[in-house]
Amino acid sequence: MKFEDYRISAQIKSQLKVLGFNKPTDIQFKAIDPILKGEDVLAIAQTGTGKTAAFVIPILEILEKKKSRGKQTEGVKCLVLAPTRELAIQISKVFESIGQNLKVVSACIHGGVEQDPQIAQLNKGVDILVATPGRMFDLVSQGHLNMKNLEILCLDEADLMLDLGFYKDIQDLLKHIPKHRQTLFFSATITLKIKKLAYSVVKNAIRIQISPKNPVAKNIDHAVVFIEMDDKRFFLENVLKEYEESKFVVFVRTKIRAERVVAAMERVMLKTEFLHGGVEQQERFAILDRFRKNENRVLITTDVAARGIDIPDVDYVINYDLPDVSENYVHRVGRTGRGNKRGQALSFCSKDEMVFLEDIEEYTGEEIQRFELTNGEYEDILGATDDGSYNWKKLIDEEGGGDEW
Ligand code: AMP
């Protein structure tokens, strides 16, 4: 079935065409109709499967229809809650682009920026509000947010919201919004916590599950290569130089390591940028923006960018360090192979990280393909580095010193 065949407004269809969305993805195919019918939905879908549009399309359709018929009540009609600012902004952009020619108005509020412009926007009238929980509660408690006529509540990445400790906030929110409403849950994983939350909010949600046994999307080829911790930077240099036109997201374990890897790449004349939770919010947006626009093609980041962020055209994900939380492996590699594209992911695994690899394979239910290197190939890569400090480092190591890399 194509979008053309859907009973949705012509303006939405024409925007979907502009975006190149001809056919619904699996999650869209399964979720759009029940949402249009007014059902409560609990959808479990992998990242990168098109789940944002799976709720954006029907929400826009429902609210536009009402607005066109002149059925207008005051205040926000739909609230979409997302766990991080970047994700909230991204969802809001999908509402804007698909809803470009509609009467319904959408807006995004999140922390880390001035609240006055957000209040001014709310006062002008907003139908669909995408928000992070913190700023939304601030505005509710200050009386700037009227949700007494809310018709649809949508929680995106609900599992992460719970992990970040928003359970009580969500329960509190329910006191501010009408009991009679439509509730939509989107989550990458189904856990006991999610079930408990979902069933405390809605009784008879339709459950939609798009999760094959292996949660890594089919269109991602992923492999692991065994590399000593201290040698990882030389292998990264090698890959980045080999694929100098490609776009990379490189995941590391800590903020400090993100900065160190950027410095190490700089020494070998490779321009990269780091992103982590310690970077100031406006700068975080700017870094992602440069990456989106290909002004920087290598983003070195902690798990702050593992979830939800939709950066188009990422060719490779490198796990410079393996994640210690297995689920994050799936989220990280999901930054490539978006929509219908193919993606590649490569993990650098040191001896100490073997336990993480075992956990990840247990979680995904499959052995990750091994990328075999002969001793000669390994030594060649070390020998080919442009890092002038390398030999010094070797000498220091032989003396028994040296930092962990
Ligand atoms: P999401 O899972 O919502 O983050 O979406 C992942 C990617 O898939 C985004 O880049 C979307 O623009 C793209 N996408 C979503 N729906 C479709 C569709 N029906 N056809 C093609 N691409 C899509």
Side-chain angles (χ1 to χ4, degrees), residues 3 16 19-25 27-28 46-54 57 87 90 94 308-312 335 338-341:
F3 278 123
L16 291 175
L19 295 172
F21 293 11
N22 299 318
K23 266 185 7 210
T25 62
I27 183 73
Q28 290 161 4
Q46 292 160 263
T47 178
T49 53
K51 71 182 156 89
T52 316
I57 295 170
L87 193 57
Q90 199 172 287
V94 179
I309 302 300
D310 181 28
I311 306 160
R335 296 312 98 207
R338 314 287 294 163
N340 299 323
K341 297 197 186 84

